[in-house]
């Protein structure tokens, strides 16, 4: 197998302070309450890439991002974690590209670099679109493999295990080039010592000017338009009411543990057969006896 | 006339409830408009689901019935769905935000340059235009968007967000015209489906389990844990435990639920001989339905139980297991 470089694409995510606030136009986050932080979802893709290198399946790991200089924090973390190189497509002041525009720019950059294997998070922790990897794959004319928890390279292709609902797994295979989107929790990302993080701040992050890509961000099509951003409505799903008795600590514990939620569970007593029948009826009524029956 | 196409899903021969939730959402959207709702279902031997889809609002049910489509096949699903969308020209396509629904939505959006709103809470008409809302930034903010691009608006919705609406009255005559659609398979697909592994309750991670059966000290002895295991297998679930059960060595640390263990959110949580100490309930209080069995009528677990059974767990479990077998649980 020829030496493969694996590219891990991610960006920092917007972390909002406790009181999320919107800007004056009502369509963006107030910069005063936003700071950039590492996307926990990206850590799983990076860990998978590092493991591929450690098992000799790829030669090197490159972290890539598209955005302003504030994005270097994530790239430095990638270097501290063990990536060989870090590269940013420099896009000053345009941290708000949508997933498809980001995919187009990343695709152009990775196409120039001859990328054959690209790993991403399944979805970012802030926007949760889950569209970047698919857009990137289309731009690179590569196979797209989603919801992946395990990846193996086989000859000139790859095999993946993907996570389905309720613990089921599905296996897919594809030829390279490929874009693989990793599920959160796919592996256990390694610990990064603070000293390594501090040292990585001084390592070089390669820059690629967007003009060199032949793609103009302002000319990329937009598919949806954000017309409003507002604080989420708080709806009470359950209210926990501690009993009047007991110490303050006991009552606080009762609230933390759910307290009396008034779930409606009337205490049933009776013979074993009666109770067993009642339990079975309950499971059947709720469609719980055989999966999610809806027929 | 506005048209909505809903991607329905089935697994193991059972229609996923989210399919019906999406049909209900389509009915709500078109309640005051002239519109048509259609459903599309992939799978093998799936004709039996047309009635349920029709009763929940699908005027047309497109069935792509093929033995090779028992499980999700991204290339075949994409080709068939793309062709159907081009033929039927829906204004909206609702897809469940599941592993297959989200994957298909992303592929379709990219392939056809159609607008996609992922994990949407609500779709509504504002005059003649459409607005969608969804949560972003970990639920701290609610984003409202409008589609700009032409083509159907693809919308994915998480299961449980819309809620299940009551089926239509059969008197309304909405039984759904069934249309068979041939599956399309590429000669050399970009992604090949090579296998499927059903969840093994013995190795399934607690956090992924749909059903959790928890063992508490009320079982009385280590050999009674076998009953909990048996019930878990019959319900297709996983065994969990309280800290006390772990401390006395009946079950491993990896099964512990609670403050110093795992946090779970299954659809069904069966607490067998679990008293319901706060340290345990913080790890399971978000469960969908809670069935509790305990001899102590004052056990705190009964306060959060949907079904509270005051009985000796060691005598009730064998009876429950026997009935589960008779009524055909997972075995």
């Amino acid at each position: 197998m020829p030496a493969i470089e694996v590219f891990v694409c991610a960006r920092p995510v917007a972390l909002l302070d406790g009181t999320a606030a919107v800007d004056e136009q009502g369509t963006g986050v107030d910069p005063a309450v936003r700071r950039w932080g590492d996307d926990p979802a990206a850590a799983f893709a990076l860990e998978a890439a590092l493991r591929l290198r450690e098992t000799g399946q790829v030669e090197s790991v490159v972290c890539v991002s598209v955005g302003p200089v504030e994005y270097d924090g994530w790239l430095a973390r990638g270097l501290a974690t063990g990536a060989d190189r870090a590269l940013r497509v420099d896009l000053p002041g345009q941290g708000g590209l949508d997933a498809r525009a980001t995919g187009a720019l990343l695709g152009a950059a990775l196409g120039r670099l001859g990328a054959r294997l690209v790993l991403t998070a399944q979805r970012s922790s802030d926007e949760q679109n889950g569209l970047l990897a698919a857009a990137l794959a289309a731009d690179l004319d590569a196979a797209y493999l989603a919801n992946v928890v395990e990846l193996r390279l086989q000859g000139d292709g790859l095999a993946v295990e993907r996570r389905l609902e309720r613990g089921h797994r599905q296996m897919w295979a594809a030829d390279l080039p490929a874009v693989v989107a990793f599920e959160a929790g796919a592996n256990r990302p390694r610990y990064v010592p603070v000293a390594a993080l501090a040292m990585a701040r001084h390592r070089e992050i390669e820059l690629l000017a967007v003009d060199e890509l032949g793609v103009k961000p302002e000319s990329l099509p937009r598919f949806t338009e954000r017309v409003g951003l507002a604080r989420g409505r708080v709806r009470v799903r359950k209210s926990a009411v501690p009993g009047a008795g007991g110490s303050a600590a006991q009552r606080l514990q009762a609230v933390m543990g759910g307290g009396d939620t008034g779930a409606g569970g009337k205490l049933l007593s009776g013979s074993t057969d009666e109770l067993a029948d009642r339990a079975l009826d309950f499971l059947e009524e709720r469609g719980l006896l055989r999966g999610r029956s809806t027929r | 006339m506005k048209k909505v196409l809903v991607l329905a899903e089935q697994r193991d021969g059972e229609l996923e409830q989210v399919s019906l939730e999406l049909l209900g959402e389509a009915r709500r959207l078109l309640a005051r408009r002239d519109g048509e709702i259609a459903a599309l279902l992939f799978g093998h031997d799936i004709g039996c689901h047309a009635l349920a889809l029709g009763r929940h609002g699908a005027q047309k049910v497109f069935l792509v019935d093929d033995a090779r489509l028992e499980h999700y096949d991204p290339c075949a699903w994409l080709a068939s769905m793309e062709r159907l969308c081009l033929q039927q020209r829906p204004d909206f396509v609702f897809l469940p935000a599941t592993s297959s629904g989200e994957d298909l939505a992303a592929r379709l959006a990219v392939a056809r340059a159609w607008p996609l709103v992922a994990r949407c809470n609500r779709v509504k008409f504002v005059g003649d235009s459409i607005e969608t809302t969804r949560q972003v930034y970990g639920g701290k903010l609610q984003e409202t968007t409008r589609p700009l691009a032409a083509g159907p608006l693809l919308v994915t919705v998480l299961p449980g967000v819309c809620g299940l609406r009551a089926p239509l009255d059969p008197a309304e005559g909405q039984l759904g015209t069934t249309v068979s659609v041939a599956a399309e398979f590429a000669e050399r697909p970009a992604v090949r489906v090579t296998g499927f592994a059903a969840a093994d309750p013995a190795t399934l991670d607690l956090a992924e389990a749909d059903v959790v059966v928890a063992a508490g000290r009320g079982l009385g002895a280590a050999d009674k844990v076998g009953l909990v295991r048996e019930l878990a297998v019959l319900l297709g679930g996983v065994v969990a435990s309280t800290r006390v059960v772990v401390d006395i060595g009946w079950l491993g640390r990896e099964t512990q639920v609670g403050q110093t263990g795992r946090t779970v959110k299954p659809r069904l949580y069966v607490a067998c001989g679990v008293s319901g100490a706060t340290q345990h309930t913080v790890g399971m209080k978000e469960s969908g339905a809670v069935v509790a069995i305990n001899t102590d009528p004052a056990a705190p677990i009964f306060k959060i139980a949907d079904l509270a059974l005051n009985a000796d767990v060691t005598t009730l479990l064998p009876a429950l297991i026997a009935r589960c077998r008779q009524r055909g649980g997972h075995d």
Side-chain angles (χ1 to χ4, degrees):
Chain A
M1 181 191 290
I4 292 179
E5 263 187 327
V6 56
F7 293 84
V8 181
C9 297
R11 62 169 174 80
V13 291
L15 302 176
L16 307 187
D17 290 342
T19 51
V22 295
D23 59 16
E24 286 179 1
Q25 291 77 38
T27 55
V29 175
D30 182 353
V33 300
R34 182 186 64 194
R35 60 190 172 84
W36 297 109
D38 298 327
D39 186 353
F44 303 103
L46 178 58
E47 178 63 30
L50 294 173
R51 289 183 190 184
L52 285 176
R53 189 187 62 191
E54 285 162 3
T55 52
Q57 296 183 73
V58 300
E59 192 178 42
S60 60
V61 176
V62 185
C63 289
V64 185
S65 198
V66 177
V69 68
E70 287 87 350
Y71 283 23
D72 284 354
W74 179 78
L75 294 169
R77 186 177 184 86
L79 290 170
T81 311
D84 299 283
R85 291 163 51 209
L87 183 149
R88 177 166 56 84
V89 178
D90 190 23
L91 203 59
Q94 296 208 29
L97 286 181
D98 72 11
R100 280 192 252 201
T102 307
L105 292 176
L106 272 176
L110 294 174
R112 275 172 59 112
L113 296 168
R116 303 195 69 217
L117 179 58
V118 183
L119 310 189
T120 72
Q122 181 64 47
R123 61 185 64 81
S124 64
S125 303
D126 52 0
E127 303 267 341
Q128 299 231 324
N129 279 307
L131 199 51
L132 173 70
L136 184 54
D139 282 309
L140 286 173
D141 197 17
Y144 165 50
L145 302 104
N147 309 99
V148 171
V149 289
E150 204 172 307
L151 163 66
R152 289 185 313 280
L153 294 184
Q154 294 178 332
D156 200 30
L158 71 169
V160 302
E161 189 174 305
R162 59 190 300 264
R163 180 191 291 162
L164 311 182
E165 289 71 25
R166 277 166 261 157
H168 297 312
R169 295 285 187 268
Q170 192 177 33
M171 275 58 84
W172 285 359
D175 295 332
L176 294 176
V179 177
V180 182
F182 269 82
E183 277 281 340
N187 48 41
R188 186 186 288 255
R190 65 198 61 193
Y191 173 72
V192 186
V194 176
L197 280 171
M199 288 205 295
R201 300 266 173 205
H202 302 292
R203 287 181 60 184
E204 184 199 358
I205 290 172
E206 298 165 41
L207 288 181
L208 194 58
V210 76
D211 298 341
E212 294 175 41
L213 300 177
V215 181
K216 289 186 176 171
E218 60 276 11
S219 66
L220 292 169
R222 294 174 65 211
F223 297 88
T224 56
E225 171 191 28
R226 180 187 280 172
V227 294
L229 197 63
R231 281 193 202 171
R233 201 153 47 102
V234 177
R235 275 177 286 191
V236 178
R237 288 175 58 208
K238 276 184 185 175
S239 58
V241 183
S247 66
Q250 285 170 330
R251 293 170 65 194
L252 184 62
Q253 276 205 329
V255 175
M256 289 168 62
D260 184 354
T261 58
K266 187 186 164 195
L267 189 60
L268 301 178
S269 303
S271 71
T272 300
D273 285 340
E274 283 169 2
L275 293 178
D277 286 338
R278 183 67 197 90
L280 257 292
D281 290 345
F282 175 85
L283 296 177
E284 280 201 334
E285 281 165 17
R286 302 269 183 126
L288 295 165
L289 192 54
R290 283 182 54 82
R292 294 184 183 211
S293 174
T294 50
R295 267 186 286 177
Chain B
M1 184 172 75
K2 297 291 182 188
K3 286 184 174 181
V4 182
L5 176 64
V6 171
L7 176 71
E9 279 191 10
Q10 58 84 34
R11 201 180 299 275
D12 304 329
E14 302 285 349
L15 202 55
E16 295 279 355
Q17 181 171 299
V18 65
S19 311
L20 308 183
E21 292 172 5
L22 291 181
L23 285 169
E25 182 65 7
R27 279 158 57 197
R28 186 196 57 75
L29 180 68
L30 299 182
R32 291 179 191 155
R33 288 176 182 263
D34 181 23
E36 181 185 89
I37 300 170
L40 168 64
L41 181 64
F42 291 89
H44 180 47
D45 234 356
I46 50 177
C48 54
H49 301 305
L51 182 63
L53 294 170
R55 288 195 62 213
H56 282 264
Q59 289 145 299
K60 275 186 192 167
V61 179
F62 296 100
L63 298 176
V64 189
D65 196 333
D66 192 298
R68 292 167 288 179
L69 292 178
E70 198 174 341
H71 301 294
Y72 176 59
D73 181 327
C75 297
W77 281 41
L78 175 65
S80 303
M81 182 120 187
E82 200 175 340
R83 192 186 57 185
L84 190 70
C85 286
L86 293 174
Q87 282 172 357
Q88 298 295 318
R89 298 184 166 276
D91 299 281
F92 308 95
V93 180
F94 289 177
L95 305 100
T98 56
S99 57
S100 47
E102 288 195 311
D103 183 56
L104 183 62
R107 288 175 194 276
L108 195 56
V110 168
R112 302 301 312 180
W114 287 341
L116 166 66
V117 181
R119 302 194 166 193
C120 185
N121 295 338
R122 193 86 167 163
V123 183
K124 65 175 182 183
F125 283 102
V126 177
D128 272 345
S129 64
I130 277 290
E131 278 188 4
T132 55
T133 52
R134 63 190 287 263
Q135 290 187 340
V136 288
Y137 303 108
K140 285 182 177 167
L141 294 174
Q142 187 116 319
E143 178 189 60
T144 305
T145 56
R146 280 190 192 145
L148 291 175
L153 174 64
L154 309 177
V155 174
T156 64
V157 182
L158 281 165
V161 166
C162 302
L164 185 62
R165 296 185 74 170
L168 295 169
D169 186 343
E172 293 182 40
Q174 189 115 344
L175 292 177
T177 313
T178 305
V179 183
S180 287
V181 178
E184 290 193 21
F185 293 94
E187 209 167 279
R188 189 160 173 73
V191 176
R192 303 179 293 281
V193 178
T194 55
F196 174 83
D200 178 0
T203 56
L204 180 60
D205 189 89
L206 262 178
E208 287 186 61
D210 219 26
V211 174
V212 170
V213 185
R217 190 165 47 176
L219 283 168
D223 60 341
K224 302 295 182 194
V225 173
L227 294 171
V228 173
R229 283 208 178 91
E230 208 173 336
L231 184 63
V233 169
L234 284 164
L235 296 175
V238 176
V239 173
S241 67
T242 60
R243 185 184 57 78
V244 179
V245 164
V246 171
D247 285 349
I248 54 183
W250 292 355
L251 283 165
R253 181 77 56 191
E254 71 284 355
T255 63
Q256 186 185 326
V257 166
Q259 208 164 29
T260 50
R262 307 288 301 273
T263 298
V264 297
K265 199 179 166 184
R267 288 186 75 222
L268 171 64
Y269 192 90
V270 185
C272 304
V274 174
S275 67
T278 304
Q279 290 84 348
H280 179 73
T281 54
V282 289
M284 48 68 71
K285 63 183 179 181
E286 296 294 322
S287 303
V290 177
V291 175
I293 308 167
N294 205 300
T295 47
D296 178 8
I301 191 74
F302 288 144
K303 292 182 179 172
I304 58 168
D306 298 275
L307 183 67
L309 303 171
N310 184 204
D312 181 353
V313 70
T314 57
T315 54
L316 184 56
L317 279 186
L320 195 53
I321 288 165
R323 280 161 177 78
C324 279
R325 286 194 194 286
Q326 281 168 9
R327 295 203 203 176
H330 291 267
D331 205 356

